[in-house]
Amino acid sequence: MTDIPAPPPGWTETATRAATRAATELGLGTDWSALDAADWARVCRRAGAILAGQGHAPAP
């Protein structure tokens, strides 16, 4: 089994900000529990693009 390294310090907060921005841009709000699987996937893809644009590598 492969060990997954812990994300760098502050990464969780950075990712949360990116997800919040992504959901807002997509008009989905930030109630994560209310999102269906398709909308959550859209948020994750957009948040990944935001993070990449900021020079942050997504966590494994």
Coordinates of all heavy atoms in Angstrom, one line a residue:
M1 N 0.8 -1.2 0.0 CA 0.0 0.0 0.0 C 0.9 1.2 0.0 O 1.9 1.3 0.6 CB -0.9 0.0 1.2 CG -1.9 1.1 1.2 SD -3.3 1.0 2.3 CE -2.8 0.1 3.7
T2 N 0.4 2.3 -0.7 CA 1.2 3.5 -0.8 C 0.8 4.5 0.3 O -0.4 4.7 0.5 CB 1.0 4.2 -2.2 OG1 1.3 3.3 -3.2 CG2 1.8 5.4 -2.3
D3 N 1.7 5.0 1.0 CA 1.4 6.1 2.0 C 1.2 7.4 1.3 O 1.9 7.8 0.4 CB 2.6 6.2 3.0 CG 2.7 5.0 3.9 OD1 1.7 4.4 4.2 OD2 3.8 4.8 4.4
I4 N 0.1 8.1 1.7 CA -0.2 9.4 1.2 C 0.3 10.4 2.1 O 0.0 10.4 3.3 CB -1.7 9.5 1.0 CG1 -2.2 8.5 0.0 CG2 -2.1 11.0 0.5 CD1 -3.7 8.5 -0.1
P5 N 1.2 11.3 1.7 CA 1.8 12.3 2.6 C 0.7 13.3 3.0 O -0.2 13.6 2.3 CB 2.9 13.0 1.7 CG 2.4 12.7 0.3 CD 1.7 11.4 0.3
A6 N 1.0 13.9 4.2 CA 0.1 14.9 4.7 C 0.3 16.2 3.8 O 1.4 16.4 3.3 CB 0.4 15.2 6.1
P7 N -0.8 16.9 3.6 CA -0.6 18.2 2.8 C 0.3 19.2 3.6 O 0.3 19.1 4.8 CB -2.1 18.7 2.7 CG -2.8 18.0 3.7 CD -2.1 16.7 4.1
P8 N 0.9 20.1 2.9 CA 1.7 21.1 3.5 C 0.9 22.0 4.5 O -0.3 22.1 4.3 CB 2.3 21.9 2.4 CG 1.6 21.5 1.2 CD 0.8 20.2 1.4
P9 N 1.5 22.6 5.4 CA 0.8 23.5 6.4 C 0.0 24.6 5.6 O 0.6 25.1 4.6 CB 1.9 24.1 7.2 CG 3.0 23.1 7.1 CD 2.9 22.5 5.8
G10 N -1.2 24.8 6.0 CA -2.0 25.9 5.4 C -2.7 25.4 4.1 O -3.5 26.2 3.6
W11 N -2.4 24.2 3.6 CA -3.0 23.8 2.3 C -4.5 23.6 2.5 O -5.3 24.0 1.6 CB -2.4 22.5 1.8 CG -2.8 22.2 0.4 CD1 -2.1 22.6 -0.7 CD2 -4.0 21.5 0.0 NE1 -2.8 22.2 -1.8 CE2 -4.0 21.5 -1.4 CE3 -5.0 20.9 0.6 CZ2 -4.9 21.0 -2.2 CZ3 -6.0 20.3 -0.2 CH2 -6.0 20.3 -1.5
T12 N -5.0 23.1 3.6 CA -6.4 22.9 3.8 C -7.2 24.2 3.7 O -8.2 24.3 3.1 CB -6.7 22.2 5.1 OG1 -6.0 20.9 5.2 CG2 -8.2 21.9 5.4
E13 N -6.7 25.2 4.3 CA -7.3 26.5 4.3 C -7.3 27.1 2.9 O -8.3 27.6 2.4 CB -6.6 27.5 5.3 CG -6.8 27.1 6.7 CD -5.8 26.1 7.2 OE1 -4.9 25.7 6.5 OE2 -6.1 25.6 8.3
T14 N -6.2 26.9 2.2 CA -6.1 27.4 0.8 C -7.1 26.6 -0.1 O -7.8 27.3 -0.9 CB -4.7 27.2 0.2 OG1 -3.8 27.9 1.1 CG2 -4.5 27.6 -1.2
A15 N -7.2 25.3 0.1 CA -8.1 24.5 -0.7 C -9.6 24.9 -0.4 O -10.4 25.0 -1.3 CB -7.9 23.1 -0.5
T16 N -9.9 25.2 0.9 CA -11.2 25.6 1.3 C -11.6 26.9 0.7 O -12.7 27.1 0.2 CB -11.3 25.6 2.8 OG1 -11.0 24.3 3.4 CG2 -12.7 26.1 3.2
R17 N -10.7 27.8 0.6 CA -10.9 29.1 0.0 C -11.2 28.9 -1.5 O -12.1 29.6 -2.1 CB -9.8 30.1 0.2 CG -9.8 30.7 1.6 CD -8.8 31.9 1.7 NE -7.4 31.5 1.4 CZ -6.6 31.0 2.2 NH1 -6.9 30.8 3.5 NH2 -5.3 30.7 1.9
A18 N -10.4 28.1 -2.1 CA -10.6 27.8 -3.6 C -12.0 27.2 -3.8 O -12.7 27.5 -4.8 CB -9.5 26.9 -4.1
A19 N -12.4 26.2 -3.0 CA -13.7 25.6 -3.1 C -14.8 26.5 -2.9 O -15.8 26.5 -3.7 CB -13.8 24.4 -2.2
T20 N -14.7 27.4 -2.0 CA -15.7 28.4 -1.7 C -15.8 29.4 -2.9 O -16.9 29.6 -3.4 CB -15.4 29.2 -0.4 OG1 -15.3 28.3 0.7 CG2 -16.4 30.3 -0.2
R21 N -14.7 29.8 -3.4 CA -14.7 30.7 -4.6 C -15.3 29.9 -5.8 O -16.1 30.5 -6.5 CB -13.3 31.1 -4.9 CG -13.2 31.9 -6.2 CD -11.8 32.4 -6.4 NE -11.6 32.7 -7.8 CZ -10.4 32.9 -8.4 NH1 -9.3 32.8 -7.7 NH2 -10.3 33.2 -9.7
A22 N -14.9 28.7 -6.0 CA -15.5 27.9 -7.1 C -17.0 27.7 -7.0 O -17.7 28.0 -8.0 CB -14.8 26.5 -7.2
A23 N -17.5 27.4 -5.9 CA -18.9 27.2 -5.7 C -19.7 28.5 -5.9 O -20.7 28.5 -6.5 CB -19.2 26.6 -4.3
T24 N -19.1 29.6 -5.4 CA -19.7 30.9 -5.6 C -19.8 31.2 -7.1 O -20.8 31.7 -7.6 CB -19.0 31.9 -4.8 OG1 -19.0 31.6 -3.4 CG2 -19.6 33.3 -5.0
E25 N -18.6 31.1 -7.8 CA -18.6 31.3 -9.2 C -19.6 30.5 -10.0 O -20.2 31.0 -11.0 CB -17.2 31.0 -9.8 CG -16.1 32.0 -9.4 CD -14.8 31.7 -9.9 OE1 -14.6 30.7 -10.7 OE2 -13.8 32.4 -9.6
L26 N -19.8 29.3 -9.6 CA -20.7 28.3 -10.3 C -22.1 28.5 -9.9 O -23.0 27.9 -10.4 CB -20.3 26.9 -10.0 CG -18.9 26.5 -10.6 CD1 -18.5 25.2 -10.1 CD2 -19.0 26.5 -12.1
G27 N -22.4 29.4 -8.9 CA -23.7 29.7 -8.4 C -24.3 28.6 -7.6 O -25.5 28.5 -7.5
L28 N -23.5 27.8 -6.9 CA -24.0 26.7 -6.2 C -24.0 26.9 -4.6 O -24.5 26.0 -3.9 CB -23.1 25.5 -6.4 CG -23.0 25.0 -7.9 CD1 -21.9 24.0 -8.1 CD2 -24.4 24.5 -8.4
G29 N -23.6 28.0 -4.2 CA -23.6 28.3 -2.7 C -22.5 27.5 -2.1 O -21.7 26.8 -2.7
T30 N -22.4 27.6 -0.8 CA -21.3 26.9 0.0 C -21.8 25.9 1.0 O -21.1 25.6 1.9 CB -20.4 27.9 0.6 OG1 -21.2 28.8 1.5 CG2 -19.6 28.8 -0.4
D31 N -23.1 25.5 0.9 CA -23.6 24.4 1.8 C -23.2 23.1 1.1 O -23.9 22.5 0.3 CB -25.1 24.5 1.9 CG -25.7 23.5 2.8 OD1 -24.9 22.7 3.4 OD2 -26.9 23.4 2.9
W32 N -22.0 22.6 1.5 CA -21.4 21.5 0.8 C -22.3 20.2 0.9 O -22.4 19.4 0.0 CB -20.0 21.1 1.4 CG -19.1 22.3 1.5 CD1 -18.5 22.8 2.6 CD2 -18.6 23.2 0.5 NE1 -17.7 23.8 2.4 CE2 -17.8 24.1 1.0 CE3 -18.9 23.2 -0.9 CZ2 -17.2 25.1 0.3 CZ3 -18.2 24.2 -1.6 CH2 -17.4 25.2 -1.0
S33 N -23.0 20.1 2.0 CA -23.9 18.9 2.2 C -25.1 18.9 1.3 O -25.7 17.9 1.1 CB -24.3 18.8 3.7 OG -25.1 19.9 4.0
A34 N -25.4 20.1 0.8 CA -26.6 20.2 -0.1 C -26.3 19.9 -1.6 O -27.2 19.7 -2.4 CB -27.2 21.6 0.0
L35 N -25.0 19.8 -1.9 CA -24.6 19.6 -3.3 C -24.7 18.1 -3.7 O -24.3 17.2 -2.9 CB -23.1 20.0 -3.5 CG -22.8 21.5 -3.3 CD1 -21.3 21.7 -3.5 CD2 -23.6 22.4 -4.2
D36 N -25.2 17.8 -4.9 CA -25.2 16.5 -5.3 C -23.9 16.1 -5.9 O -23.0 17.0 -6.0 CB -26.4 16.2 -6.3 CG -26.2 17.0 -7.6 OD1 -25.1 17.4 -8.0 OD2 -27.2 17.2 -8.3
A37 N -23.7 14.9 -6.2 CA -22.4 14.4 -6.7 C -21.9 15.1 -7.9 O -20.7 15.5 -8.0 CB -22.4 12.9 -6.9
A38 N -22.7 15.4 -8.8 CA -22.3 16.1 -10.1 C -21.9 17.5 -9.8 O -20.9 18.0 -10.3 CB -23.5 16.1 -11.1
D39 N -22.6 18.2 -8.9 CA -22.2 19.6 -8.6 C -20.9 19.6 -7.7 O -20.1 20.5 -7.9 CB -23.4 20.3 -7.8 CG -24.5 20.7 -8.7 OD1 -24.3 20.8 -10.0 OD2 -25.6 20.9 -8.2
W40 N -20.8 18.6 -6.9 CA -19.6 18.6 -6.1 C -18.4 18.3 -7.0 O -17.3 18.9 -6.8 CB -19.6 17.5 -5.0 CG -18.4 17.4 -4.2 CD1 -17.5 16.3 -4.1 CD2 -17.8 18.3 -3.3 NE1 -16.5 16.6 -3.3 CE2 -16.6 17.8 -2.8 CE3 -18.2 19.6 -3.0 CZ2 -15.8 18.5 -1.9 CZ3 -17.4 20.3 -2.1 CH2 -16.2 19.8 -1.6
A41 N -18.5 17.5 -8.0 CA -17.5 17.3 -9.0 C -17.1 18.5 -9.7 O -15.9 18.8 -10.0 CB -17.9 16.2 -9.9
R42 N -18.1 19.3 -10.1 CA -17.9 20.6 -10.7 C -17.1 21.5 -9.8 O -16.1 22.2 -10.3 CB -19.2 21.3 -11.1 CG -19.9 20.6 -12.2 CD -21.3 21.2 -12.5 NE -21.2 22.6 -12.8 CZ -22.1 23.5 -12.6 NH1 -23.3 23.1 -12.1 NH2 -22.0 24.8 -13.0
V43 N -17.5 21.6 -8.6 CA -16.7 22.5 -7.6 C -15.3 22.0 -7.5 O -14.4 22.8 -7.5 CB -17.4 22.4 -6.2 CG1 -16.5 23.1 -5.1 CG2 -18.8 23.1 -6.3
C44 N -15.1 20.7 -7.4 CA -13.7 20.1 -7.2 C -12.9 20.5 -8.5 O -11.7 20.9 -8.3 CB -13.8 18.6 -7.0 SG -14.4 18.2 -5.3
R45 N -13.4 20.3 -9.7 CA -12.7 20.6 -10.9 C -12.3 22.1 -10.9 O -11.2 22.5 -11.2 CB -13.5 20.2 -12.1 CG -13.4 18.8 -12.4 CD -14.0 18.4 -13.8 NE -15.4 19.0 -14.0 CZ -16.5 18.3 -13.7 NH1 -16.4 17.1 -13.1 NH2 -17.6 18.8 -13.9
R46 N -13.3 23.0 -10.6 CA -13.0 24.4 -10.7 C -12.0 24.8 -9.6 O -11.1 25.6 -9.8 CB -14.4 25.2 -10.5 CG -14.2 26.7 -10.6 CD -13.6 27.2 -11.9 NE -13.3 28.6 -11.8 CZ -12.1 29.1 -12.1 NH1 -11.1 28.3 -12.6 NH2 -11.9 30.4 -12.0
A47 N -12.2 24.2 -8.4 CA -11.2 24.6 -7.3 C -9.8 24.1 -7.7 O -8.9 24.8 -7.4 CB -11.7 23.9 -6.0
G48 N -9.7 23.0 -8.3 CA -8.4 22.5 -8.8 C -7.8 23.5 -9.8 O -6.6 23.8 -9.8
A49 N -8.6 24.0 -10.7 CA -8.2 25.0 -11.7 C -7.7 26.3 -11.0 O -6.7 26.9 -11.4 CB -9.2 25.3 -12.7
I50 N -8.5 26.7 -10.0 CA -8.1 27.9 -9.2 C -6.8 27.7 -8.5 O -5.9 28.5 -8.6 CB -9.2 28.3 -8.2 CG1 -10.5 28.8 -8.9 CG2 -8.7 29.3 -7.2 CD1 -11.7 28.9 -8.1
L51 N -6.6 26.5 -7.9 CA -5.4 26.2 -7.2 C -4.2 26.2 -8.1 O -3.1 26.7 -7.9 CB -5.5 24.9 -6.4 CG -6.4 24.9 -5.2 CD1 -6.7 23.5 -4.7 CD2 -5.8 25.8 -4.1
A52 N -4.4 25.5 -9.3 CA -3.3 25.4 -10.3 C -2.9 26.8 -10.8 O -1.8 27.1 -11.0 CB -3.8 24.6 -11.4
G53 N -3.9 27.7 -11.0 CA -3.7 29.0 -11.4 C -2.9 29.9 -10.4 O -2.2 30.8 -10.7
Q54 N -3.0 29.5 -9.1 CA -2.3 30.2 -8.1 C -0.9 29.5 -7.8 O -0.2 29.9 -6.9 CB -3.1 30.2 -6.8 CG -4.4 30.9 -6.9 CD -5.3 30.8 -5.6 OE1 -5.1 29.9 -4.8 NE2 -6.2 31.6 -5.5
G55 N -0.6 28.4 -8.6 CA 0.7 27.8 -8.4 C 0.7 26.7 -7.3 O 1.7 26.3 -6.9
H56 N -0.5 26.3 -6.8 CA -0.6 25.3 -5.8 C -0.9 23.9 -6.4 O -1.8 23.8 -7.2 CB -1.7 25.6 -4.8 CG -1.5 26.9 -4.0 ND1 -0.6 27.0 -3.0 CD2 -2.1 28.1 -4.2 CE1 -0.6 28.3 -2.6 NE2 -1.6 28.9 -3.2
A57 N -0.2 22.9 -6.1 CA -0.4 21.6 -6.5 C -1.5 21.0 -5.7 O -1.5 21.1 -4.5 CB 0.8 20.7 -6.4
P58 N -2.5 20.4 -6.3 CA -3.6 19.7 -5.5 C -3.0 18.6 -4.7 O -2.0 17.9 -5.1 CB -4.5 19.2 -6.6 CG -4.3 19.9 -7.8 CD -2.8 20.3 -7.7
A59 N -3.6 18.3 -3.6 CA -3.1 17.2 -2.7 C -3.5 15.9 -3.4 O -4.4 15.8 -4.2 CB -3.8 17.3 -1.4
P60 N -2.7 14.9 -3.2 CA -3.0 13.5 -3.8 C -4.4 13.1 -3.5 O -4.9 13.4 -2.4 CB -2.0 12.6 -3.2 CG -1.0 13.4 -2.4 CD -1.6 14.8 -2.3

